[in-house]
Amino acid sequence: MDCMRESQKRQGLYPIVKKTACARQTYDVTVLCPDIAKTASPGQFVHIRCPGVTLRRPISICQVDAQRGTVRLVFEVRGRGTAELAQLGEGELMDLLGPLGHGFEILPGARAVAVGGGIGVPPMLEALRSYGENGTAILGFRSANAVILEEDFLQNGNQVRLATDDGTRGTKGFVTQLLKEQLEQQRPDIIYACGPTPMLKGVAALAQQYGVCCQVSLEERMGCGVGACLVCACKTLRENGYEGYSHVCKDGPVFEAQQVVFE
Amino acid sequence: MDCMRESQKRQGLYPIVKKTACARQTYDVTVLCPDIAKTASPGQFVHIRCPGVTLRRPISICQVDAQRGTVRLVFEVRGRGTAELAQLGEGELMDLLGPLGHGFEILPGARAVAVGGGIGVPPMLEALRSYGENGTAILGFRSANAVILEEDFLQNGNQVRLATDDGTRGTKGFVTQLLKEQLEQQRPDIIYACGPTPMLKGVAALAQQYGVCCQVSLEERMGCGVGACLVCACKTLRENGYEGYSHVCKDGPVFEAQQVVFE
Amino acid sequence: MADLRVSVAGVSFKNPVITASGCFGYGKEYDELYDISRLGGISLKGMTLKERLGNPPPRIAETPSGMLNSVGLQNPGFDTFVKEDMPFLRQKDTVLIANVAGATIEDYCGIVERVSGTDVDMIELNISCPNVKEGGVAFGVSCESAANVVRQVRPYAKKPLIVKLSPNVTDIAAIAQAVEAEGADAVSLINTLLGMRIDLKSRRPILKNNVGGLSGPAVFPVAVRMVWQVASRVKIPVIGMGGIETWQDAIEMMLAGAGAVQMGAALFYDPYAPLKVIEGMNQWLDEQGVKSVSEIVGQVKPW
Amino acid sequence: MADLRVSVAGVSFKNPVITASGCFGYGKEYDELYDISRLGGISLKGMTLKERLGNPPPRIAETPSGMLNSVGLQNPGFDTFVKEDMPFLRQKDTVLIANVAGATIEDYCGIVERVSGTDVDMIELNISCPNVKEGGVAFGVSCESAANVVRQVRPYAKKPLIVKLSPNVTDIAAIAQAVEAEGADAVSLINTLLGMRIDLKSRRPILKNNVGGLSGPAVFPVAVRMVWQVASRVKIPVIGMGGIETWQDAIEMMLAGAGAVQMGAALFYDPYAPLKVIEGMNQWLDEQGVKSVSEIVGQVKPW
Ligand SMILES: Cc1cc2nc3c(=O)[nH]c(=O)nc-3n(C[C@H](O)[C@H](O)[C@H](O)COP(=O)(O)OP(=O)(O)OC[C@H]3O[C@@H](n4cnc5c(N)ncnc54)[C@H](O)[C@@H]3O)c2cc1C
Ligand SMILES: Cc1cc2nc3c(=O)[nH]c(=O)nc-3n(C[C@H](O)[C@H](O)[C@H](O)COP(=O)(O)OP(=O)(O)OC[C@H]3O[C@@H](n4cnc5c(N)ncnc54)[C@H](O)[C@@H]3O)c2cc1C
Ligand SMILES: Cc1cc2nc3c(=O)[nH]c(=O)nc-3n(C[C@H](O)[C@H](O)[C@H](O)COP(=O)(O)O)c2cc1C
Ligand SMILES: Cc1cc2nc3c(=O)[nH]c(=O)nc-3n(C[C@H](O)[C@H](O)[C@H](O)COP(=O)(O)O)c2cc1C
Ligand code: FES
Ligand code: FES
């Protein structure tokens, strides 16, 4: 994944060029940040300073337009920081540090399945972009009114399969069911996943069962976002077989599923 | 001064209906707050919550329009709190607690001289309002471009005499010189003063010398603004002749000059 | 409507929200904004036998999410309080806590005895004021001296005795245990953390007293930790304070082990903060299906 | 252009701004944003003889104007550091301070000895980490134990020895004097204040370690006070830190008595904060007509 090494971190104030509400308490924001967009790759994130709170907030890069120099972010209001972010309107400036972290490995010409749960869906969009019809997005949401980005995956040319907890859209139930069906039909070369831990565990187990390479994007509370403070630890298996801590902001957020020790 | 007792404190978010810049880093803001305007009297102040800082900031009431339900505030940017206040524009809300404190005693039908220095000028406007041509405003500023509210005193019908430190407007020198001239010409029934401590001392000394009753508005760092936390202490003479602490937010900001122990 | 009543050292509070000593005077000023009977209780401005003038101004400095004060126990003295403030306060239906201090053990005994003869409901022994030269925090920073003052004062206290602890110590739980052993009926914490600010222009400390006590949201995490440590080491009730601003903060403090909470600095920027906390607490308890607020006290589940 | 150079315990810094231990790793990450040679110095991530995994996550919690951390001295151990990080660091023209810790006195002696054999410029003895079960702050909270560890370590230290003090004590100046008496060349303070946050939903502490160390602007007034107290009681230089965010804060800390400053938490929200401080400091000194920054150290005029 040499592409990652070249991504160059920047910090600055960048204007919001587009903002829409895409679901309840969920916002879709496009920021003009050419120097970040230039080297950003799928699965990486930006670390955002929000007025009124101390720490930056990590948000995955949902889409990159290197030509236009924009990065698209889709986030849900969870607490004070994201609530403050949601206040920023078009024309206002966002303080971004990015692109950060280690993203997804993209396999040219291969088949990929991306499994996203809830607010874990956004990073899947950029991950599947280059796959076109060889990319399948399996997306899970609480309910029909929480569905986001469906159109965007279709515009990628990807296949889209939906599941909702309450059955108001797509299949009723978990994305892991849909993934299993998909794996039975046609085995992809790689699986990408982002979402709640139980979902990731399930996806990782299926990937292993079917012998498919799988990469998961993890979340952990962060400080610096660049690998210097060591607060964003997650347990991983080292090459020597022992457990140790890796760091979500630098070694991740994307890890090989079989390296992760889910707790 | 029974009028004071009736002023009823309120706290709320009130819209700014007018905002102009009246000198370098000095803003003139009119806030629609009928319940505060109703009972506000000259020399009282409002305590303003500013975004991003912990403590409220005290600002004198410059003008009251009980009919329209507005209060006018004129303030200078000094530090972070007032800088934040200056960011608020027309239509935005200001968090005010007021009217607070003990104001000037207004003597109907009498002659009054008000001495204001710099950002001590604003409270003088409301103090002299009812005096019309029997009111004289002696106003001192650093320089011509710092002159504020001159027109407004003229609209009150007051006489206005200006002094600037550099002589670019009015007399070059101190307001105390002008006050002395004024006292020589015609002794008023009362003197009001607000400004830097050396000025207040000078005014108080002249008032005593000429035997004129004098009220001064003091400043001190504040917490609660209502008399509960006792941080805004200023040294005063008690009735028994001993020195003690009074509190600027409740016993003041206006005190009889001869009660104040200037340090 | 959840049951907000709590009982601390045998005294019933209609709700667990008390205004902190020194931040609410003797109640009159805030009563002009709302009926102070809506509060669970009021910890009155620190009182001494004789009048104290307090420290020279400036007595306050702003800090990030907090403030320093160096009031220095200014108060009119016991007699004036009884004459001028007690009649008003006793009309109010809220728990009255007399916060008392002294320069010597004798002073402490004297004020506790006198206050015991009044209509207040509880006594809060302030052995943690950082702003006075004699007494105050001097008594509160070692187990021996804290235990000693409580031992001497105890016989004079005819009301439940709360001992207010200083956070400027290495082991606050040890001090809590020491005062518990001498018969304190409850402990309250934290008083202010000693701090300092300097003005760049004048190169002078902003406070005329040079140093002062830090309070406000900045100290909240320290207060939660200390309440948790103390609550797990003593059997007597703990009253928690330090930086409480929202109902979430109050619940957090109670989960950590506080049987009731006090609010100070938040009043200065939001006079209605205590009422908002009471209201928010009530709603949250209802949402959580918790019948009585007392059920959450100390319910944090450490890892 | 004012002279920003300072000298601490015989070591020259091009400017008084040092990044704080644990907040800047071993420098590589921030060097991708700017040349870290622009810094006065770097206090490296706390190091132990052998690798330490640190505490389980979550290791960070936000607080008003601050944060708690419970990293627990995760580090790759001395050998790995020397192999993997030292070569990069030594290319940089900045003062390197090895921050070292241990679970036992022997550990401390061992790491100090090893580090003395490397190319670092100074050693900072961390006897104040609140996030480890053994060692760490246990050594830092009494005069005796602090003096003892310094006494034992001193012979192994072939570089200037800074002792980093804990603020979670009753009398930090007494501890500073105790380590000065045992031959510490400088003291640095403050390490983090112990704090706690609880999640209302899960009723669990946010940190898996239950408690953690508070840093960031919230602690600034406490840090200034402690630096002032320590500086007035010891003769060795004091390095001040705790909540420094702006150049004004850095100047304030130096006026209080700090010969140099460290910055930690501010980096997380503003990676460029140390450079802004250096620049702002320079401008202010020019405006004030002060030729050298060292002239302002300890220049506060108490009332
Ligand atoms: C690599 C990464 C990528 C992410 N991408 C997205 C995204 O694209 N869209 C989106 O909506 N959310 C995303 N998140 C989650 C998002 O960072 C949190 O929802 C956000 O930090 C919550 O902040 P808050 O102030 O609203 O909540 P609060 O609960 O008030 O935050 C308090 C503290 O906890 C931290 N925190 C709380 N929840 C999380 C979490 N789930 N992960 C990490 N830190 C947390 C905050 O950053 C803050 O420091 C991502 C998280 C990570 C680690
Ligand atoms: C009764 C009263 C009436 C006032 N009326 C006016 C007015 O009409 N117009 C106007 O421009 N200014 C007025 N002031 C001064 C004004 O309150 C201060 O300029 C303001 O508080 C500075 O805040 P800051 O955040 O900009 O400065 P900072 O220096 O950042 O403030 C830091 C802290 O110090 C306090 N402080 C700083 N300077 C003063 C001061 N001079 N008086 C009181 N507290 C201070 C602040 O309130 C804050 O708590 C008045 C002050 C008082 C006491
Ligand atoms: C202005 C002021 C005056 C205080 N006076 C007293 C006092 O007289 N007695 C006392 O025990 N505590 C006093 N305190 C401490 C508070 O009661 C409380 O312990 C502390 O402020 C922490 O709570 P907070 O963060 O909610 O303000 C005072 C605090 C402030 C801010
Ligand atoms: C994430 C983190 C890790 C830290 N690790 C160490 C450490 O390893 N050794 C040490 O002496 N101090 C450590 N500290 C304390 C800092 O060096 C510093 O003393 C403290 O954070 C106060 O400064 P600040 O407010 O500028 O952050 C750490 C602080 C943080 C926030
Ligand atoms: S957030 Fe600092 S190392 Fe990951
Ligand atoms: S500001 Fe609280 S008493 Fe004046």
Side-chain angles (χ1 to χ4, degrees), chain B residues 229-231, chain C residues 20-23 43-47 59-60 67-71 73 99 124-126 128-129 131 164 189-192 213-217 219 241-244 262-266 268:
Chain B
C229 75
L230 310 186
V231 305
Chain C
S21 179
C23 303
S43 175
L44 303 167
K45 173 65 199 165
M47 207 185 308
R59 294 177 174 182
I60 187 169
M67 55 166 281
L68 298 172
N69 91 80
S70 59
V71 171
L73 292 182
N99 180 280
E124 184 173 51
L125 203 68
N126 178 2
S128 45
C129 178
N131 293 320
K164 184 159 176 183
L189 58 141
I190 57 174
N191 209 316
T192 53
L214 179 66
S215 60
V219 308
M241 79 194 88
I244 296 177
Q262 293 188 15
M263 296 178 65
F268 304 163

Side-chain angles (χ1 to χ4, degrees), chain B residues 130-143:
Chain B
S130 63
Y131 289 97
E133 55 172 16
N134 289 331
T136 303
I138 298 179
L139 312 175
F141 301 95
R142 282 184 306 276
S143 183

Side-chain angles (χ1 to χ4, degrees), chain C residues 38-60:
Chain C
R38 293 165 69 184
L39 298 168
I42 302 174
S43 175
L44 303 167
K45 173 65 199 165
M47 207 185 308
T48 48
L49 267 181
K50 298 264 158 289
E51 179 182 12
R52 278 186 61 103
L53 292 185
N55 291 320
R59 294 177 174 182
I60 187 169

Side-chain angles (χ1 to χ4, degrees), chain B residues 105-115 124-138 153-161 179 182-183 185-192 212:
Chain B
E105 186 168 13
I106 304 299
L107 307 175
R111 278 182 191 284
V113 171
V115 188
M124 295 301 136
L125 186 63
E126 185 66 19
L128 283 192
R129 186 162 53 135
S130 63
Y131 289 97
E133 55 172 16
N134 289 331
T136 303
I138 298 179
F153 284 97
L154 293 172
Q155 269 178 31
N156 269 352
N158 307 144
Q159 329 249 359
V160 179
R161 308 190 62 182
L179 175 62
Q182 180 72 22
L183 292 171
Q185 278 173 30
Q186 184 177 52
R187 209 165 293 192
D189 301 296
I190 191 162
I191 298 172
Y192 306 123
V212 182

